[in-house]
Amino acid sequence: MKLLRILAWLFVPFIMIFVSWKKLGKVAKIGGAIWAGFILLIIVIPTEEKPNVTATVETDAVASQEKAPKVEKAVAVVDTKTEKKDDQKAKEEAKLKNETDAAAKKANQKEVLAFEKSVYAFEETMSPIMNTYQEAMTGLGNGTVDIYTVYEATENAQKAAKHLQSKFYNLDVPENLPKDVKQMLNATASNLSTAYYSKGKAFDAVLEFLDDQKPSHMSKFKEEISMADSFVMKGILKLMEAKTAVGLEVDSK
């Protein structure tokens, strides 16, 4: 117990003097007060200040920056000569492409016009034969032409129709044309071939009518002729589409 009191007076005298003040004598009070004040000073006075680490780091950083060699910012140098050459090259390539496209377009137009010329050339071969047939039928109606003449004219028209059916079926479409244009021209040839197939069937019906004069044959004739006209129209429309696709003007008349 005495040891604890001694330790308390050594380390916390300011507490002990407060607790034991009334019990102490005059000399003990003075000595205890001095000792308590001394200990209190030791506790209150701060120890040696620590070095300012942050300030030191900042100072070192500034010093490092001052010591480090300055790096000049890179300046982009535009090579105007190279740039001009690139522009000139691009212009030349664009010009060449335009010329190539124009030449290809002109070649396509030439091919389509040649195809159209073949179509109308085939049609023209049929024109005089059809004129003879129509004149013979008119003459039969007014009694100026005999049935044998009409029969012969009808046979010639039938043979011509079947011949044109084969011609259109085998009509060549240029291979170097764009795919969509080739499809249009193939459709033209196919529709016209089918049209002349129907015309041939129509003339077959006329020949049968001349043989036995059955009205049903003339009904068959009208049906086949109507179908032929429909396919002719489809074929011509596809030809017009092909012309438009290659930049040719289409006569609306």
Side-chain angles (χ1 to χ4, degrees), residues 137-208:
M137 292 298 291
T138 300
L140 181 65
N142 58 29
T144 58
V145 176
D146 61 67
I147 194 170
Y148 299 107
T149 301
V150 175
Y151 200 93
E152 183 181 4
T154 305
E155 279 187 327
N156 290 337
Q158 178 213 42
K159 291 176 183 178
K162 290 183 178 181
H163 177 70
L164 284 183
Q165 175 200 345
S166 176
K167 281 284 189 181
F168 280 117
Y169 182 81
N170 293 300
L171 181 58
D172 290 331
V173 174
E175 287 294 328
N176 57 336
L177 287 171
K179 184 178 179 180
D180 59 335
V181 178
K182 286 170 61 178
Q183 290 175 341
M184 294 170 191
L185 295 185
N186 279 319
T188 297
S190 177
N191 282 316
L192 293 176
S193 177
T194 303
Y196 278 97
Y197 171 80
S198 292
K199 284 186 178 183
K201 298 294 287 184
F203 293 129
D204 284 341
V206 173
L207 292 174
E208 290 176 353

